[in-house]
Each structure stands twice: as C-alpha cells, then as structure tokens.
Amino acid sequence: MYAIAIHGGAGAVPRATLAPERERSYRAGLESALDGGFAVLERGGTSLDAVATAVRLLEDHPAFNAGHGAALTRDGAAELDAAIMDGRQMRAGAVASVRHVKNPIELARRVMEKSRHVLLVGAGAEEFALEEQFVLVPNQYFRTAERLEQLESEQRGERVSDLVPPSVQGTVGAVACDASGNLAAATSTGGMTNKRPGRVGDSPIIGAGTYAKNGVCAVSATGHGEYFIRAVAAHHVCAAVEYRKLTLEQAVHELLHVILRKLGGDGGLIAIDHAGRIVMEFSTEGMFRGARESTGRREIAIY
Amino acid sequence: MYAIAIHGGAGAVPRATLAPERERSYRAGLESALDGGFAVLERGGTSLDAVATAVRLLEDHPAFNAGHGAALTRDGAAELDAAIMDGRQMRAGAVASVRHVKNPIELARRVMEKSRHVLLVGAGAEEFALEEQFVLVPNQYFRTAERLEQLESEQRGERVSDLVPPSVQGTVGAVACDASGNLAAATSTGGMTNKRPGRVGDSPIIGAGTYAKNGVCAVSATGHGEYFIRAVAAHHVCAAVEYRKLTLEQAVHELLHVILRKLGGDGGLIAIDHAGRIVMEFSTEGMFRGARESTGRREIAIY
C-alpha cells in the first residue's frame, strides 16, 4: 500500500467565476503533479522523493501560488517559502522569504540534508543555495501577468486597514506514504497577494503548515497562514492522532471546524496516516486537490 | 495569585568555569529582569506587559544572548529573533533575522498588535519597524568583546563539519500569569554562535520556542533550537496539558527527557499554568532562571 495526496491551495473559488479553460489548466496541473509524485512511489521511491517531486511540479506550474506564478508582495516581488519533513527521523528543512530560488522545495530539502539547521531565511538562505550549486534566477521568473493583475486589483480594492486579510489565498503541498510506511510532507507558497515584504506564513513553519511523523501522520496545510501558525495546525492534527487516538478525520475536522473557526481563520489541509489513509478537508468554498493510491483510486477535485 | 518566571539560556555551564564575578553579573541581570516583570504584575499590569518587560531587560543586559550581547553569526554580525504570545486570544507576533532593532521583543509585540501578520523577517521586518517609528541602531550596538571572542574560539575549534552543533547555546524568555489568570510568553535570542546568516531557531517559531494559551499554559524554551522546532516543543507541552491531562511537570519532563532525548537535542524550558504554577526544567548542566510569585517566593538559580 502506498499513496499520495496533493493540494494547490484553498479559498474562495466560486464555481461561477472559474472559467472552463482555467479549470482545465488547474486540473491538468494537479494531474501532472499527482501522477509525477505517484510515479516515484510506484517505482519503489520514498515518500520524501514523492512529495518533493509533486511540489516541484506545482511550483513550476504558473496557475498555482508557489514558484513560477507565485502571489506578489505589495512591492510587486515574489518572496517564496517552503518546507519539507521526513517522518522517518522527523528531520525537517525550510526556507522563507527567498527571491531567487527556482524551486524553493528543493532548497528546503537541501537545508534538511546538508546543513545543521532547519530554517534559513532571506539572503542567508540564498547564500546557502549558491554554496550548494543552486543556479539562482531573477525575481522576474516568478511573476506572471495574472499575479500582477491580482496585485493591482487588491491594491485598488477597498482595504480599510492593514488588519483586514485579503480574500485570495493559496499554497501547494503534498503528503505521501510509501510502500515501507514512511511518511513525508512538503509545502511551498508565494504567500498572500499584497503581503508585506518579509511576511512569513505557516507553510515553512514546522508544526504549523507542514509536519510528518512516522507511525502517526503527515500534514500539509493551506489557508490564512497567520491562523494556522497560532493554532500550530499541522502538529495539532498529529498530536490528536498520536496521543488522543482521534481518527485522522476527527483530528482534521476539529482543527478546521472547531479550533480555527474559533480563531476566525479558514483554509484546508491534506493528511495521510501510516496506513495510507488520506483525508482532504477545507472550510473554504474550494480546495484544489488530488489523491492517488496503489489500490487504484485516482481523484482530482476542486469543490 | 500572579507569578512570573524567566530564563537566560540553558547549556553547558560547568560550575568550575563560571568565575564568581561572572556569576554575580548573571544573577544581577536575572534579578533585575525578574523584579521588573514582577513589578508590572504587582501594580495590576497584564502578563503580556510583564513578559515583554522582563525580556526587554534581558535583551539590554550584555551577559545574555539576546539584544545587546547577542551571539554572532559566522560573519560576525548579530541577527536577532523574538516572539511574544498573548494567551487571551492566542494572538502572536514574531520577528526573525533582524539586525538593527534594539529590542526585538518590542518589534515582535508591534507585529502582533499593529499588523495583520504573525511573523516578519529580515529587511521587511525592519521596514515595518521604521513605519512604526522604531529608531534603528547599528549592528555594532549588539556586539560585545566577549561574543567576538566566543565566535573566534568557535571558529578556531575542531568543528569537523557543518553538521556538528556548537556547544554554546542561549536565549532569554519569560512566562507569566497575571491576577486575572491571563497567560503570556516571550522569547528573544541571538541564536547560535557561528550560525549561518539567515538561520532561524525555535525562539520566534510559535509552537516551537514560544506558546501561550489561556486556561492551559505558557511556555518559553531555550536550547538547541533545531530539535525544539522538529519536536514543536512548546505546543507539545501545551497540548499534553490541555488534551492528555498531564500535569505541567509531566508534560515538560516528557518533552525534555523523552521526546527531545530521542531526537538527540537538549535544552530547557520554563512554563506556567493558569493557576500560576511554575515549572523550570532542563536537560543541560545548567539553566539561568528565576521565578517570583505573589505568595512571596523569589528564586534565582543556575544549576
């Protein structure tokens, strides 16, 4: 038994406003990432390789808010965050606020594997990237016409104060269980449209947007990051399964519909347990998502 | 009933190597911060104000690894991280990798109170500081002769690879419960001596080095940050108390001596529950710490 689940962000996705060709593009991107990650598992690869592959493919696809096509800061730049966690020894790597790394998830993995640190941010993270022979790209690479439009529309909007959150959210992520029962999670994002430079959401925060522990579960979250940080969302789910013996469904439901609702935040998350059971749930109108299992199940969904 | 506890870092502090005048300096710094924070509670102030005051005093004291006297990166600069959390609505603010903010804990609090974000890093955090009328200081302000010596000795040392952690650790923090039963936690640090620029430890990570939830507990950690991040240390303690009904002592003991020991990390933490009960524990040789309660207890300790 092996399985993988992915997400491409959660938020207000009214059916009426998602044009058919846009929906096809999202679905094609999800399918490609899902199948790419699954192929790793199929040929006996680890869950760590599978989630890294799936997230890299989502980063490269312009429709999703990560890597190429990332949401832009209020200054019109892309600032990227990513994290990966290996459930085997609970090792983790993360980067935040990087501007020139084509695939932040690969840098996060390198931080895990080649440094004695877990989280590197900003120019220091890019210095590490260069030492590790990553080729940097201009910030321009990440910017798409659509994200610039979103930024302009957000900036024209009636934002009463800096305290009001934007409506557009997004993040990509993957969780997987390989044939040996190893769990892994990976998350990558451009963050919120019109965010303040230097703002870091839950994606690269181990325990908030990303967590994995063998024998328990792996989690990747998406949504209004500040609330997921305050709730320590991914770890909340893991701890509820491990220590309170909640089912994965119960733990995810409690997190999204009790804990986060009380705080006032919404979003979604995907999780997988050591038996390869997948949960994909959200408190928003939609969540781009997909799941594929060695049993033959293959599913892509938005609403 | 109201109470406050503080720490000034945990690590290898052999009695033999701590000269009497150094020990006096540490104790005087701890006393000043403890009494400063306690005075806030005494005059009816909130736990949030108390922990911010105590941490600010520790930041200003050159003996502790936060603010003035922070540990230096491998480039000889100070890069500072801090977080604060208010247990009332579980609001939180944090900054990481800032180089010119005299009191990072005050900036973390401003992020919580005046932005719609939880975590700001690097130049973006300093841009926010300027917008909020913080006066920036040169990086030189943080550097002391002693920290430069430590860095040089670390760099001369037989570090076999970048994967070996340094022996010197430190961080400052405070937890408090005010007369209304409100809990708060605050943590501030310069991180590891000889760290890579951009490296962020557990201190500013909500759930790892800092957490507070009214009715449950408030936690501030110190130690080898990477392990505290992977264990989601502070949230682990809070969740164990809230959901598994462990006592605060049991939860802290499990975290330090079971969970972190298994991962290979050491350090210490201070915690306080809604009844004002304080736990201060560590798995290292010593932890600079202090506790003061409205019952009259006043304690400063190192070993």
Side-chain angles (χ1 to χ4, degrees):
Chain A
M1 173 66 191
Y2 48 88
I4 184 169
I6 62 169
H7 68 78
V13 200
R15 277 174 205 269
T17 63
L18 190 62
E21 69 270 25
R22 279 311 305 275
E23 181 168 337
R24 273 194 298 276
S25 167
Y26 279 122
R27 286 184 178 272
L30 290 169
E31 278 172 13
S32 154
L34 185 64
D35 294 344
F38 189 78
V40 172
L41 299 174
E42 235 173 354
R43 58 174 184 264
T46 63
S47 52
L48 189 69
D49 284 330
V51 297
T53 298
V55 167
R56 183 172 45 72
L57 289 165
L58 290 165
E59 284 177 341
D60 290 344
H61 194 291
F64 301 100
N65 176 12
H68 179 52
L72 303 175
T73 68
R74 67 178 190 189
D75 299 344
E79 283 194 1
L80 310 160
D81 307 332
I84 192 164
M85 189 159 182
D86 183 345
R88 281 175 293 191
Q89 294 103 20
M90 296 169 65
R91 291 200 305 158
V95 295
S97 216
V98 298
R99 290 171 162 242
H100 306 98
V101 177
K102 183 168 179 281
N103 289 106
I105 198 66
E106 294 188 348
L107 185 58
R109 183 169 180 176
R110 200 66 66 93
V111 169
M112 175 174 82
E113 294 180 338
K114 292 288 167 72
S115 84
R116 58 188 169 97
H117 299 318
V118 169
L119 174 57
L120 295 179
V121 306
E126 298 191 344
E127 182 71 29
F128 175 72
L130 288 170
E131 290 174 25
E132 290 291 318
Q133 269 76 52
F134 279 65
V135 176
L136 299 195
V137 297
N139 196 261
Q140 183 70 35
Y141 162 78
F142 302 104
R143 268 175 278 173
T144 61
E146 194 188 346
R147 293 297 180 194
L148 273 169
E149 260 171 54
Q150 272 179 10
L151 177 63
E152 282 158 17
S153 123
E154 178 82 20
Q155 292 182 337
R156 274 195 311 269
E158 304 107 321
R159 296 276 303 290
V160 189
S161 90
D162 199 42
L163 292 163
V164 179
S167 59
V168 181
Q169 299 163 4
T171 287
V172 310
V175 294
C177 176
D178 61 31
S180 308
N182 294 316
L183 300 176
T187 312
S188 182
T189 190
M192 291 173 161
T193 295
N194 202 30
K195 70 179 178 183
R196 177 181 281 284
R199 176 265 185 182
V200 176
D202 62 314
S203 304
I205 305 298
I206 301 303
T210 308
Y211 207 67
K213 185 173 184 181
N214 263 21
V216 189
C217 63
V219 178
S220 173
T222 174
H224 194 157
E226 277 71 8
Y227 295 93
F228 283 73
I229 292 177
R230 291 162 56 197
V232 199
H235 186 257
H236 182 96
V237 169
C238 259
V241 169
E242 180 171 13
Y243 294 113
R244 295 159 59 203
K245 307 301 172 199
L246 263 58
T247 65
L248 197 55
E249 288 82 354
Q250 290 169 333
V252 169
H253 190 273
E254 178 187 78
L255 186 273
L256 289 174
H257 302 290
V258 181
I259 310 279
L260 285 175
R261 181 150 296 171
K262 209 193 300 182
L263 291 176
D266 57 13
L269 62 77
I270 57 173
I272 193 166
D273 71 12
H274 59 289
R277 174 201 289 273
I278 289 167
V279 173
M280 305 189 285
E281 201 172 319
F282 47 99
S283 59
T284 46
E285 285 178 67
M287 178 168 76
F288 298 104
R289 63 197 186 278
R292 193 164 170 194
E293 301 174 355
S294 53
T295 56
R297 173 191 178 201
R298 182 171 179 279
E299 179 191 334
I300 298 281
I302 299 178
Y303 305 104
Chain B
M1 172 67 191
Y2 48 88
I4 183 169
I6 62 170
H7 68 78
V13 200
R15 278 173 204 269
T17 63
L18 190 62
E21 70 270 22
R22 279 310 305 274
E23 180 167 338
R24 274 194 297 276
S25 167
Y26 278 122
R27 285 183 178 273
L30 290 169
E31 278 172 13
S32 153
L34 185 66
D35 294 344
F38 188 78
V40 172
L41 299 174
E42 234 172 357
R43 58 174 183 263
T46 63
S47 51
L48 189 69
D49 283 330
V51 296
T53 297
V55 167
R56 183 172 45 73
L57 290 165
L58 290 166
E59 284 177 341
D60 290 345
H61 194 292
F64 301 99
N65 176 12
H68 179 52
L72 303 175
T73 67
R74 67 178 189 187
D75 298 344
E79 283 194 0
L80 310 159
D81 307 330
I84 192 164
M85 190 159 182
D86 183 345
R88 281 175 294 191
Q89 294 102 19
M90 296 169 65
R91 291 199 305 157
V95 295
S97 216
V98 298
R99 289 170 162 245
H100 306 98
V101 177
K102 182 168 179 279
N103 289 106
I105 198 65
E106 293 187 349
L107 185 58
R109 183 170 181 175
R110 200 66 65 92
V111 169
M112 174 174 82
E113 293 179 339
K114 292 289 167 73
S115 84
R116 57 189 168 97
H117 300 317
V118 170
L119 174 58
L120 295 179
V121 306
E126 298 191 343
E127 182 71 28
F128 175 72
L130 288 170
E131 290 173 26
E132 290 291 318
Q133 269 77 50
F134 279 65
V135 176
L136 299 195
V137 298
N139 196 262
Q140 183 70 35
Y141 163 78
F142 303 104
R143 267 175 279 174
T144 61
E146 192 188 347
R147 293 297 180 194
L148 273 168
E149 259 171 54
Q150 272 180 10
L151 176 63
E152 282 158 15
S153 123
E154 179 82 20
Q155 291 182 337
R156 273 195 312 269
E158 304 107 320
R159 296 276 303 291
V160 188
S161 90
D162 199 42
L163 292 162
V164 180
S167 59
V168 181
Q169 299 163 2
T171 287
V172 310
V175 294
C177 176
D178 62 31
S180 307
N182 293 316
L183 300 176
T187 312
S188 182
T189 190
M192 290 173 161
T193 295
N194 201 32
K195 70 179 178 184
R196 177 181 281 283
R199 177 265 185 182
V200 177
D202 63 314
S203 304
I205 306 298
I206 301 303
T210 308
Y211 207 67
K213 186 174 183 179
N214 262 21
V216 188
C217 63
V219 178
S220 173
T222 175
H224 194 158
E226 277 71 8
Y227 295 94
F228 283 72
I229 292 178
R230 290 162 56 196
V232 198
H235 186 256
H236 182 96
V237 169
C238 259
V241 169
E242 180 172 14
Y243 294 112
R244 295 159 59 202
K245 308 301 171 198
L246 263 59
T247 65
L248 198 55
E249 288 82 355
Q250 290 169 333
V252 170
H253 190 273
E254 178 187 77
L255 186 273
L256 290 173
H257 301 291
V258 181
I259 310 278
L260 284 174
R261 179 150 295 169
K262 209 195 298 181
L263 290 177
D266 56 13
L269 62 77
I270 57 174
I272 193 167
D273 70 12
H274 60 287
R277 174 202 289 274
I278 289 167
V279 173
M280 305 187 287
E281 202 173 318
F282 47 98
S283 59
T284 46
E285 285 178 68
M287 177 168 77
F288 298 104
R289 62 197 186 278
R292 193 164 169 193
E293 301 174 355
S294 53
T295 56
R297 173 193 179 200
R298 182 171 179 279
E299 180 192 333
I300 298 280
I302 299 178
Y303 305 103

